[in-house]
Amino acid sequence: MRNECLSPLLIVVLVIGGTFAVSGVAAGGYHPSLTTDQSEGVATIAGEDETYRTVQAAINDATAGDTVEVRSGTYREPIIVNESIVLSAPDGATVDGTTSQQNDRGITISGDSEPVVDGFSVQGYDVGVAAQDTAGDWEIREMVIEENEIAGLSASNSTGSWTITNSTIRENYHEGVSAAGSSGDWTIQSSVLERNHDDGINGDYSSGEWTIRETVIRSNGDEGIDVENNTGDWLITNTLVEGNDDDGIDADGLEATGNWTIEDSTFRENGDEGIDTDNAQGDWKIRNTTISENVQGINAVNTSGDWKIHDSTIEKSLRNGLNTRGSSGDWTVDDTIVRNNTIVGVAARNASGEWSIRNTDIENSTVGVFAVASTGDWRITHTSIKNIQLSEFGFSTVNEGIGIDARETRGSWEVSEGRLETIDEYSVDATGAAVRGDATGNWWGNPEPDAVCTGNVTCENSLMEGPSDIGASASAETDTSDDEERAERDEPDAEEIPGFGVSVVLIAVTTFSCGLFYRNRLDGS
């Protein structure tokens, strides 16, 4: 569902020290516009003297392993590639269907061929690059695919493994990349998908392993990445997902079983959730990632997989930073900042999994941790919860001004070596909790526990001064398992990867006219 109240205005993107820059020009730096005189020959096969008057004639004469080189210019002919060749426009060439009476497909990759298509702009067709039902491992690179009627690139139901490299896919009238039902493994790297009228990427019911790295997915008219009910595993690294009208990632669905790893990335200013995973069953690992200025940061309602959020920031959500109502998997949140979320920092009503929050800062919300009626065991250690205040809007679905709301909980729970301060009502409310909570040995900003705790909880032996090694900056008990797993994949750290990564400098202006969102209720909580 689109949200029209979020209106991003992009001014400039500059990649410093990376592999390419985007500033309104074609990737690769070419602007083909002149129609080539086909009487002079427009294509050659490398190593041969013969020239061809059409691109298709050269392709038809090529065999597997050949390279077909195309002169710079604008071509009104659709192209079919059914051999494992390299089709290259070294100086750039445009395949243009805007004046064609039959503008179905610009470049078609067919069957089990495994071509590389390099250096073209494709525009004005129903589908810019068509690879539906293909079985081969193909690649497109240094491409600009824009202003096509249905999709920029369609690879629905493909079974091969394919790659998009250093390309721009923009302003297509439906999806940028459509890969619904695909089962092959595929990669998008060092590319831009922007201003497509629907999703940037649609991969509903896909089952292959996907990798997106050093890529920008922004300002699309629906989701940035829409992969409902996908069953494959995902890696997203060094990627920016921003300003999409609906979710940054929509990966929900009762049949969604894929496991996800997201690292060194940013999800911001999307019109609904930064990441939406309702009912999904897979495991999620989020590391060194910022999720900021979305209507809701992460929505994981009724999920059953295990989640680990490490060394990340979830902030400035118009509703909740993290909403896990009814989830049954185990959750670990460590070395993470959860701040400036309008309603709740961590919302886990009716959750049944085990929870560990450690070395984390939760601040500037109406509720810090909302665990009402949860049944799993909770451990909150070395964590700072502060500036939890009554809102001027009066959200009727939460008990405002509570640091940890543990009313009606059924599991055991412990809060230790933490700072809970500047809280309007109670730091801990355990009214009706089935198991007596242990909240001894914390700093309350006030040495009298009776002033900060209520319900079935023990808050004695308060610390007499606030410890300094509390929160996301603390190094104690840091979990390094994610570092070990990434090392096993033999991937470089973010600072070692050319392209976007940590060297993106983005200047953007975004106008919000979403005041009504502040009055939205916390669904079902």
Side-chain angles (χ1 to χ4, degrees), residues 15-242:
V15 180
I16 300 176
T19 58
F20 69 98
V22 179
S23 58
V25 302
Y30 51 82
H31 296 270
S33 59
L34 298 177
T35 300
T36 296
D37 181 358
Q38 293 184 330
S39 65
E40 298 178 3
V42 302
T44 61
I45 298 176
E48 298 184 6
D49 295 333
E50 184 176 358
T51 61
Y52 296 85
R53 295 182 63 182
T54 68
V55 176
Q56 191 63 54
I59 293 172
N60 292 345
D61 219 18
T63 59
D66 283 343
T67 296
V68 174
E69 292 189 353
V70 179
R71 289 178 55 192
S72 178
T74 297
Y75 299 88
R76 309 295 180 185
E77 57 171 307
I79 294 169
I80 299 174
V81 185
N82 53 12
E83 289 282 356
S84 300
I85 63 172
V86 175
L87 176 63
S88 176
D91 298 316
T94 296
V95 181
D96 189 345
T98 55
T99 62
S100 173
Q101 296 296 316
Q102 296 179 336
N103 57 347
D104 183 20
R105 301 176 176 186
I107 296 176
T108 298
I109 299 170
S110 66
D112 59 358
S113 62
E114 299 186 343
V116 174
V117 182
D118 179 14
F120 291 87
S121 291
V122 187
Q123 62 189 37
Y125 290 90
D126 288 343
V127 176
V129 176
Q132 298 99 320
D133 303 304
T134 54
D137 301 342
W138 45 265
E139 179 179 3
I140 68 167
R141 61 194 185 200
E142 299 287 349
M143 299 277 284
V144 176
I145 306 172
E146 61 185 347
E147 298 181 359
N148 297 285
E149 189 68 28
I150 297 176
L153 183 149
S154 179
S156 57
N157 300 313
S158 59
T159 59
S161 301
W162 44 271
T163 303
I164 300 171
T165 301
N166 210 23
S167 295
T168 298
I169 302 175
R170 65 189 175 203
E171 296 178 359
N172 298 285
Y173 294 111
H174 289 285
E175 286 88 9
V177 172
S178 177
S182 63
S183 57
D185 303 337
W186 54 271
T187 299
I188 300 175
Q189 56 194 9
S190 302
S191 294
V192 176
L193 295 93
E194 63 180 355
R195 301 194 302 276
N196 298 288
H197 291 201
D198 287 337
D199 304 323
I201 299 170
N202 183 289
D204 292 347
Y205 292 94
S206 58
S207 58
E209 295 186 5
W210 289 33
T211 299
I212 299 177
R213 59 165 58 96
E214 297 129 46
T215 287
V216 173
I217 302 170
R218 65 180 170 216
S219 303
N220 296 287
D222 205 340
E223 273 87 16
I225 302 171
D226 184 2
V227 286
E228 297 179 15
N229 294 299
N230 82 94
T231 58
D233 295 343
W234 279 71
L235 170 65
I236 297 178
T237 182
N238 279 355
T239 288
L240 172 66
V241 181
E242 71 162 358

Side-chain angles (χ1 to χ4, degrees), residues 136-422:
D137 301 342
W138 45 265
E139 179 179 3
I140 68 167
R141 61 194 185 200
E142 299 287 349
M143 299 277 284
V144 176
I145 306 172
E146 61 185 347
E147 298 181 359
N148 297 285
E149 189 68 28
I150 297 176
L153 183 149
S154 179
S156 57
N157 300 313
S158 59
T159 59
S161 301
W162 44 271
T163 303
I164 300 171
T165 301
N166 210 23
S167 295
T168 298
I169 302 175
R170 65 189 175 203
E171 296 178 359
N172 298 285
Y173 294 111
H174 289 285
E175 286 88 9
V177 172
S178 177
S182 63
S183 57
D185 303 337
W186 54 271
T187 299
I188 300 175
Q189 56 194 9
S190 302
S191 294
V192 176
L193 295 93
E194 63 180 355
R195 301 194 302 276
N196 298 288
H197 291 201
D198 287 337
D199 304 323
I201 299 170
N202 183 289
D204 292 347
Y205 292 94
S206 58
S207 58
E209 295 186 5
W210 289 33
T211 299
I212 299 177
R213 59 165 58 96
E214 297 129 46
T215 287
V216 173
I217 302 170
R218 65 180 170 216
S219 303
N220 296 287
D222 205 340
E223 273 87 16
I225 302 171
D226 184 2
V227 286
E228 297 179 15
N229 294 299
N230 82 94
T231 58
D233 295 343
W234 279 71
L235 170 65
I236 297 178
T237 182
N238 279 355
T239 288
L240 172 66
V241 181
E242 71 162 358
N244 300 286
D245 282 4
D246 205 327
D247 303 324
I249 294 177
D250 184 357
D252 61 13
L254 292 170
E255 299 177 42
T257 58
N259 300 320
W260 288 68
T261 299
I262 299 175
E263 57 191 21
D264 306 315
S265 295
T266 297
F267 297 78
R268 67 183 174 207
E269 298 176 0
N270 296 289
D272 205 344
E273 277 83 19
I275 299 173
D276 183 11
T277 70
D278 282 358
N279 299 304
Q281 302 175 50
D283 298 337
W284 286 70
K285 296 180 181 179
I286 298 176
R287 171 191 170 88
N288 195 29
T289 288
T290 296
I291 302 171
S292 178
E293 298 178 77
N294 306 283
V295 171
Q296 196 154 239
I298 296 175
N299 191 49
V301 170
N302 296 325
T303 55
S304 57
D306 296 337
W307 284 69
K308 179 178 290 185
I309 301 174
H310 174 71
D311 194 22
S312 294
T313 298
I314 304 171
E315 64 179 357
K316 301 178 183 177
S317 305
L318 295 180
R319 294 174 67 188
N320 307 310
L322 183 58
N323 185 16
T324 73
R325 172 172 48 86
S327 62
S328 58
D330 297 338
W331 286 75
T332 299
V333 180
D334 65 2
D335 292 290
T336 288
I337 296 171
V338 183
R339 66 186 173 199
N340 300 325
N341 299 290
T342 302
I343 306 179
V344 178
V346 176
R349 182 181 181 126
N350 296 115
S352 59
E354 295 186 2
W355 275 78
S356 173
I357 300 176
R358 60 196 184 202
N359 300 332
T360 288
D361 295 327
I362 302 173
E363 58 187 53
N364 298 330
S365 299
T366 64
V367 178
V369 176
F370 187 74
V372 171
S374 64
T375 59
D377 297 338
W378 284 75
R379 298 293 179 269
I380 301 175
T381 62
H382 288 90
T383 288
S384 171
I385 302 176
K386 66 181 181 181
N387 297 333
I388 306 301
Q389 301 171 345
L390 300 171
S391 75
E392 59 183 289
F393 303 107
F395 299 109
S396 61
T397 56
V398 294
N399 195 19
E400 294 184 359
I402 307 298
I404 298 172
D405 193 339
R407 291 172 296 154
E408 309 298 332
T409 53
R410 293 294 175 263
S412 66
W413 54 281
E414 171 189 330
V415 183
S416 62
E417 298 180 77
R419 297 176 65 111
L420 291 87
E421 57 187 320
T422 320

